Amino acid sequence: MKKTALVTGGSRGIGLGIAQALAREGWTIVINGVRPEESVAESLGSIHDLGVEAFYAQGDIGSESGRQGILEVAHGVAGGALNLLVNNAGVAPKQRLDLLETTEESYDFVLDTNLKGAFFLTQAASNAMVARRKREPEFAAAIVNVSSISATVASVNRGEYCIAKAGLSMVTSLFAARLGEFNIPVYEVRPGVTKTDMTSGVSEKYDKLIENGLCVTKRWGFPEDVGKAVASLSRGDFPYSTGQVIMIDGGLTLPRL
């Protein structure tokens, strides 16, 4: 039976790493992004090359119309309901500002995508999953939220990002509690310092921090590290762990003396 996953923000960075890891497991992949489809042809091709079907759902999850369009494409591919939703899409503040200078415009920009968008996309996808399970009890579904160590590690020069990720952690807990009766698990993966285009502007800073012991595992994280975790969760390897957080941070948040 075909298994279909939607990975938001799946055309680059961590999202692409997740999409490729799921493709290696045989999933049909729908990736989402805001760029025109021709701009993500290389990413789609890299998924196709792994022997699965890959589709693109262009749209901004921060807007209601964007979410509707994304799910229209994804549900069309999936036959009405997704087997897996991966809420990965996220934006960083356009400018890192001290907490005492953060603007309302930046706050709304970050939270609309990173929190509100993920919440309402999950709500809509969950309703379709529940309806499908009621019709077909054997239908399997799950949700994975890609959070960040910023859910608990304070960065005072990008407070809006931290708030969004902390909120996303509660979204995980809420939907895990609500969907439990339908046996639809909800998980959170929490990456640490990960090598993507989002972190390219602070590479030198984190190179030095990692060299000086920031992480127990003395290297950057990579998108494939997160992808492997999501693939494991999607296989059902953790059937009794709904609502739990999987840390992908190289031991950065491990308390040490």
Side-chain angles (χ1 to χ4, degrees):
M1 182 181 294
K2 182 171 78 170
K3 305 177 297 181
T4 304
L6 167 62
V7 182
T8 65
S11 67
R12 63 174 84 180
I14 288 175
L16 182 57
I18 292 169
Q20 291 169 337
L22 292 171
R24 292 185 183 96
E25 300 277 328
W27 287 79
T28 295
I29 304 295
V30 181
I31 59 173
N32 148 258
V34 296
R35 294 180 292 166
E37 185 163 354
E38 57 267 24
S39 299
V40 302
E42 184 177 346
S43 297
L44 282 171
S46 73
I47 299 169
H48 278 298
D49 289 345
L50 295 169
V52 300
E53 292 184 291
F55 303 87
Y56 186 57
Q58 184 182 4
D60 177 8
I61 69 165
S63 73
E64 183 179 6
S65 61
R67 292 188 295 273
Q68 289 175 346
I70 293 162
L71 285 178
E72 183 176 336
V73 172
H75 285 161
V77 172
L82 292 160
N83 299 98
L84 178 65
L85 169 64
V86 181
N87 284 306
N88 166 77
V91 295
K94 293 179 181 178
Q95 184 180 6
R96 291 189 176 212
L97 295 174
D98 182 87
L99 194 63
L100 301 181
E101 300 171 350
T102 301
T103 65
E104 190 168 341
E105 179 185 11
S106 180
Y107 183 96
D108 289 342
F109 168 70
V110 172
L111 268 78
D112 279 355
T113 294
N114 296 10
L115 184 54
K116 186 181 83 171
F119 179 90
F120 285 106
L121 190 69
T122 300
Q123 182 189 69
S126 295
N127 277 311
M129 290 172 175
V130 168
R132 180 82 176 266
R133 274 194 64 83
K134 288 179 176 178
R135 296 193 309 270
E136 304 171 32
E138 72 282 3
F139 176 76
I143 297 166
V144 178
N145 293 323
V146 180
S147 164
S148 165
I149 58 168
S150 294
T152 59
V153 178
S155 297
V156 296
N157 63 345
R158 53 182 188 134
E160 60 271 58
Y161 185 84
C162 297
I163 290 167
K165 292 302 185 179
L168 186 59
S169 291
M170 179 51 72
V171 170
T172 300
S173 298
L174 289 166
F175 278 95
R178 183 65 183 88
L179 299 178
E181 66 179 285
F182 305 107
N183 197 27
I184 299 174
V186 184
Y187 307 104
E188 178 185 343
V189 295
R190 195 175 286 177
V193 180
T194 307
K195 201 76 158 174
T196 68
D197 56 347
M198 187 181 285
T199 55
S200 61
V202 290
S203 288
E204 186 176 347
K205 169 187 174 181
Y206 283 108
D207 283 343
K208 292 177 181 176
L209 287 170
I210 292 168
E211 180 61 29
N212 290 325
L214 178 68
C215 305
V216 175
T217 304
K218 205 170 183 178
R219 66 168 174 84
W220 282 77
F222 296 102
E224 53 263 38
D225 292 315
V226 186
K228 289 174 182 177
V230 175
S232 181
L233 292 168
S234 72
R235 284 196 301 268
D237 290 351
F238 296 86
Y240 204 53
S241 299
T242 190
Q244 297 306 302
V245 178
I246 310 299
M247 302 299 296
I248 319 292
D249 69 349
L252 187 155
T253 56
L254 180 68
R256 288 172 282 166
L257 290 174

